Amino acid sequence: NFMLTQPHSVSESPGKTVTISCTGSSGSIASNYVQWYQQRPGSAPTTVIYEDNQRPSGVPDRFSGSIDSSSNSASLTISGLKTEDEADYYCQSYDSSNRVFGGGTKLTVL
Amino acid sequence: EVQLVESGGGLVKPGRSLRLSCTASGFTFGDYAMSWFRQAPGKGLEWVGFIRSKAYGGTTEYAASVKGRFTISRDDSKSIAYLQMNSLKTEDTAVYYCTREPTTYYDSSGYPDYWGQGTLVTVSS
């Protein structure tokens, strides 16, 4: 079964840039779109990136997504970090007829 | 303003059934596919399934973990999506989220653009 692997946690200081990776277990991650979701503590998830690198309306351009076929991974980059960016981030893609999630990455902004 | 409000969660015994509702407002409900996701306590997100709009046949797709036990339906006249859960197991304990999908595909592809706040389902004897 296809799996997506994310780092358990990352931390960075306000104003800096952080990148969260999402590595596919097999095949080519570039074959299917990748989405990224943000979940702040105690809140429902929100979609911050869809179709690899598209931002929904209302999501600041500090958030960007990319695909690296050479490492079979997707990345979420957040620049100009703010304390409000502290949250869990999940990547998601597809496998056969299923939507597959990464295990999530806890971002601490300190 | 798009709003999705889930209801119907609660405590239910293993093997029993429960139906969740997702009441939508702020958009033309019938034009959109609707999905359900869930999140077990302290765990990550899991896709449950979705239902396409009537324009795409109103057909459904399900995750392997719930196929044959869960059924998604919709009532466009009331702007409500339903998640019927049968033969519930303790591992179905989770917060269940309803979402709107802005794009419809003929496979399981797609993504949500709006999420509800979720409703907690606890399966326990």
Side-chain angles (χ1 to χ4, degrees), chain B residues 3-117:
Chain B
Q3 286 196 318
L4 301 171
V5 179
E6 301 91 340
S7 60
L11 175 63
V12 61
K13 289 180 167 48
R16 305 295 286 269
S17 299
L18 196 66
R19 188 178 79 164
L20 305 183
S21 299
C22 170
T23 303
S25 60
F27 64 100
T28 305
F29 180 78
D31 289 348
Y32 290 84
M34 301 296 293
S35 266
W36 289 90
F37 292 80
R38 67 183 181 181
Q39 186 172 35
K43 302 296 184 183
L45 296 170
E46 181 184 13
W47 174 67
V48 173
F50 72 82
I51 185 167
R52 298 178 179 87
S53 66
K54 292 288 194 295
Y56 288 84
T59 51
T60 52
E61 303 287 345
Y62 299 98
S65 58
V66 305
K67 200 168 187 177
R69 298 190 300 124
F70 289 13
T71 301
I72 299 173
S73 60
R74 62 190 301 154
D75 184 337
D76 291 351
S77 68
K78 297 181 179 177
S79 297
I80 299 177
Y82 299 101
L83 177 63
Q84 177 68 43
M85 303 183 292
N86 298 333
S87 304
L88 281 162
K89 306 175 182 180
T90 55
E91 52 262 43
D92 295 318
T93 294
V95 175
Y96 284 75
Y97 296 102
C98 164
T99 73
R100 187 185 84 165
E101 307 237 327
T103 306
T104 299
Y105 297 87
Y106 284 106
D107 58 11
S108 294
S109 302
Y111 63 91
D113 60 354
Y114 287 93
W115 296 67
Q117 286 303 304

